[in-house]
Amino acid sequence: MDGIDLAQRPNFCQACTIRNRAICADLDDEEVALLNRIGRKRHLQPGEQLLWEGEAAILVANVVSGVLKLSTATADGREQIVGLVYPSDFVGRPFAETTPYGAEALTDTEVCVFQRKDFDRFALEHPRLEHKLLERTLTELDRSRRWMLLLGKMNAQERVASFLVETSGRLQGGRKDIGASGEPSQIELPLSRQQIANVLGLTIETVSRQFTQFRKDGIIEMPSSRTIVVPDRSALLARTG
Amino acid sequence: MDGIDLAQRPNFCQACTIRNRAICADLDDEEVALLNRIGRKRHLQPGEQLLWEGEAAILVANVVSGVLKLSTATADGREQIVGLVYPSDFVGRPFAETTPYGAEALTDTEVCVFQRKDFDRFALEHPRLEHKLLERTLTELDRSRRWMLLLGKMNAQERVASFLVETSGRLQGGRKDIGASGEPSQIELPLSRQQIANVLGLTIETVSRQFTQFRKDGIIEMPSSRTIVVPDRSALLARTG
DNA sequence: AGCTGGAATTGATCTCCATCAAGGCATTGC
DNA sequence: GCAATGCCTTGATGGAGATCAATTCCAGCT
């Protein structure tokens, strides 16, 4: 962590696959070099924890590849997944002392981590970064509010259908051209049935039954339990509520 | 809206009751004067709509006094309230073309409204404002995720208890000294039973029954249906989950 | 006072999903 | 091969809260 080490560290950002999509996108080369200095790459295995709910907010990170879940729990241990973090997304809680939720890798994951205090300082000094972070946070707030509609008002079928629609969208990085008309799209779910249930506020059994129902109705195919083929997206959308 | 009119407009911000708590708090006098020029005060009656879900994002606003609800609806009209906006809070969706949720006044409300495009431009040019907005948005995201825990995992009793705890907190402007030990605190609910139900993902009947139950158990008193007295906050917290 | 209309409460019944319980089906290690 | 383990699926049952249906309450009006 000393100056010499930092100075010698190669600039990972230049070759970063999410360089143009993450919050660093609007930074110029000089700024990126500075950011590169305070960050470091880290690999997470499935199940490995990056942040612990209620603990001091030490780290923030960009996700380079892989998927993380964000979760909170009640006092007696019931867990609710409150966010899924995909490549180019930001994770962690800047400008606060404690982390309001846990973050855990669902797949093999590469993140670009920063000491929260370093990041806070950098953000305050670089408005373009802060602006990107604001846009991202506003989008995430919109997403979590749509999620609240799902949790508050939708039945099991609508929840599972919505989950599949949303997940296929996120996994394709927001591209809308796929599966819009007729071509089937294939999803590789990064979540187990239990985790899907924790996302949707349901039980594992109910989620499983809905998948089976969709399969029987010809709305999806399941080559394996984590691989979902959607032959006709509109049929799925019709069950979204 | 012409220049002369704007120049003559008195600087409302100087006397603003939320001047030090809203996102304008860190602006200097000159910046506030500029912001004052592009904003205007507006009064909303209970039930009056400020933003329409899915419409163009024309306005953003600060709430000076009163309470607003934010809501989204499914295609077939089921409504979910996804946010409550109290004095000094910000409402609206900067940096986007459409408003993702509706906003409607629950009480007599004073807001300080801006054309979204004016506000966006001002924010980009004034990092201190954008920083405040970011902090607020991050806090709101935390809040909405806790809300997701409520909607996804809590039973009716826990939801209503959590709602009362949260509401008393927000109405007191975040002060923690009240009701902490023994003194009873009194809440004047800005929401009808139906609206509380829409916040909590329950029906009006279930909410009503929970209130009755709490009253019978001596955890709350109800001088009127919208006035709640909490003699012992810890007894309520114990039912929070 | 008496009337009126919207909101809240209370009761009776039903339904969807949670819960409980078993069995299927892969993968891993011996 | 075949136990063992973990995940998923399927079936049977029960219960929390939704739904349907009356009252009751209360503020505003005449």
Side-chain angles (χ1 to χ4, degrees):
Chain A
M1 294 289 269
D2 58 312
I4 292 166
D5 186 16
L6 288 172
Q8 288 175 341
R9 180 181 302 168
N11 188 334
F12 288 116
C13 302
Q14 286 168 338
C16 181
T17 50
I18 55 158
R19 170 77 171 84
N20 298 314
R21 294 188 292 143
I23 54 170
C24 12
D26 284 355
L27 299 180
D28 60 37
D29 290 346
E30 193 183 335
E31 290 173 310
V32 163
L34 285 169
L35 190 60
N36 188 71
R37 282 203 179 188
I38 61 172
R40 63 191 173 79
K41 279 277 179 71
R42 181 168 159 197
H43 179 260
L44 300 170
Q45 310 220 310
E48 202 173 339
Q49 200 96 2
L50 179 68
L51 306 172
W52 284 261
E53 179 180 5
E55 303 272 301
I58 300 174
L59 299 176
V60 300
N62 276 312
V63 179
V64 178
S65 66
V67 186
L68 298 162
K69 67 168 194 186
L70 309 180
S71 60
T72 45
T74 57
D76 61 337
R78 286 166 285 170
E79 181 196 23
Q80 173 68 39
I81 295 182
V82 296
L84 294 172
V85 190
Y86 290 88
S88 87
D89 287 347
F90 179 86
V91 57
R93 180 51 163 96
F95 311 118
E97 291 306 317
T98 54
T99 303
Y101 41 74
E104 180 185 318
L106 296 175
T107 65
D108 270 286
T109 301
E110 269 194 315
V111 287
C112 175
V113 296
F114 305 90
Q115 295 290 317
R116 196 209 89 226
K117 286 179 181 175
D118 292 344
F119 181 86
D120 286 358
R121 201 177 316 111
F122 187 92
L124 280 168
E125 290 165 356
H126 297 86
R128 275 183 301 227
L129 182 87
E130 230 180 26
H131 178 74
K132 276 287 174 193
L133 184 56
L134 174 58
E135 289 202 324
R136 232 162 227 294
T137 308
L138 286 165
T139 301
E140 193 56 35
L141 182 57
D142 291 346
R143 211 196 310 275
S144 88
R145 282 174 168 160
R146 266 185 286 124
W147 203 325
M148 285 172 57
L149 175 63
L150 180 147
L151 292 171
K153 285 282 155 5
M154 291 188 185
N155 63 28
Q157 182 181 78
E158 294 165 338
R159 292 184 198 204
V160 174
S162 298
F163 171 79
L164 289 175
V165 169
E166 160 110 359
T167 303
S168 73
R170 303 281 311 265
L171 284 176
Q172 288 156 11
R175 298 210 316 275
K176 307 239 164 146
D177 53 323
I178 300 176
S181 53
E183 339 97 90
S185 74
Q186 182 165 321
I187 313 169
E188 196 60 36
L189 294 176
L191 295 83
S192 69
R193 292 286 184 275
Q194 181 58 64
Q195 288 161 344
I196 295 172
N198 283 348
V199 166
L200 299 179
L202 298 170
T203 59
I204 182 174
E205 294 94 334
T206 300
V207 171
S208 182
R209 278 186 251 266
Q210 290 302 326
F211 273 111
T212 303
Q213 191 59 49
F214 285 160
R215 194 165 44 69
K216 283 181 180 165
D217 295 354
I219 288 180
I220 62 170
E221 289 153 36
M222 277 202 290
S224 82
S225 76
R226 288 205 181 204
T227 311
I228 310 291
V229 178
V230 183
D232 178 14
R233 163 177 272 250
S234 64
L236 199 55
L237 276 170
R239 309 221 171 180
T240 282
Chain B
M1 291 293 270
D2 58 312
I4 292 167
D5 186 16
L6 288 171
Q8 287 175 339
R9 184 181 299 168
N11 188 333
F12 288 116
C13 302
Q14 288 170 335
C16 182
T17 50
I18 55 158
R19 170 77 172 82
N20 298 315
R21 293 188 292 143
I23 54 171
C24 11
D26 283 356
L27 301 180
D28 61 34
D29 290 347
E30 193 184 336
E31 289 173 313
V32 163
L34 285 169
L35 190 60
N36 188 73
R37 282 204 180 184
I38 61 171
R40 62 190 173 79
K41 280 280 181 67
R42 178 165 160 199
H43 180 263
L44 299 170
Q45 309 221 309
E48 202 174 339
Q49 201 95 1
L50 179 67
L51 307 172
W52 283 261
E53 179 179 5
E55 304 271 303
I58 300 175
L59 299 177
V60 300
N62 276 311
V63 178
V64 178
S65 65
V67 186
L68 298 161
K69 66 167 194 187
L70 308 180
S71 60
T72 45
T74 57
D76 61 337
R78 286 166 287 169
E79 181 195 21
Q80 174 68 40
I81 295 181
V82 296
L84 293 172
V85 190
Y86 290 89
S88 87
D89 286 348
F90 180 86
V91 57
R93 179 54 163 94
F95 310 117
E97 292 305 316
T98 54
T99 303
Y101 41 73
E104 179 186 318
L106 296 176
T107 64
D108 270 284
T109 300
E110 268 195 316
V111 289
C112 174
V113 296
F114 305 90
Q115 294 291 316
R116 195 210 92 225
K117 287 181 179 172
D118 292 344
F119 181 87
D120 285 359
R121 201 177 314 114
F122 187 91
L124 281 168
E125 289 165 359
H126 296 86
R128 276 184 301 229
L129 181 87
E130 232 182 25
H131 178 74
K132 276 288 172 190
L133 184 56
L134 174 58
E135 289 203 322
R136 229 162 230 293
T137 308
L138 285 164
T139 301
E140 194 56 35
L141 182 56
D142 292 345
R143 211 196 309 274
S144 88
R145 282 174 169 160
R146 266 184 286 122
W147 203 325
M148 284 170 57
L149 176 62
L150 179 148
L151 292 172
K153 284 281 157 358
M154 291 187 185
N155 64 27
Q157 184 180 80
E158 293 165 338
R159 292 183 196 204
V160 174
S162 298
F163 171 78
L164 289 174
V165 169
E166 160 110 0
T167 302
S168 73
R170 303 282 310 265
L171 284 175
Q172 289 154 13
R175 299 208 314 275
K176 306 238 164 149
D177 51 325
I178 300 177
S181 54
E183 340 98 88
S185 73
Q186 181 166 322
I187 314 169
E188 196 61 35
L189 295 175
L191 295 85
S192 69
R193 291 286 184 276
Q194 180 59 64
Q195 288 161 345
I196 295 172
N198 283 346
V199 166
L200 299 178
L202 299 171
T203 58
I204 183 173
E205 294 93 333
T206 300
V207 171
S208 183
R209 280 187 249 269
Q210 288 302 327
F211 272 111
T212 303
Q213 192 58 49
F214 284 160
R215 195 165 43 71
K216 282 180 181 166
D217 295 353
I219 287 180
I220 61 170
E221 290 154 35
M222 278 202 289
S224 82
S225 77
R226 289 206 180 205
T227 311
I228 310 291
V229 178
V230 183
D232 178 14
R233 162 177 272 251
S234 65
L236 199 55
L237 275 170
R239 309 220 170 181
T240 284

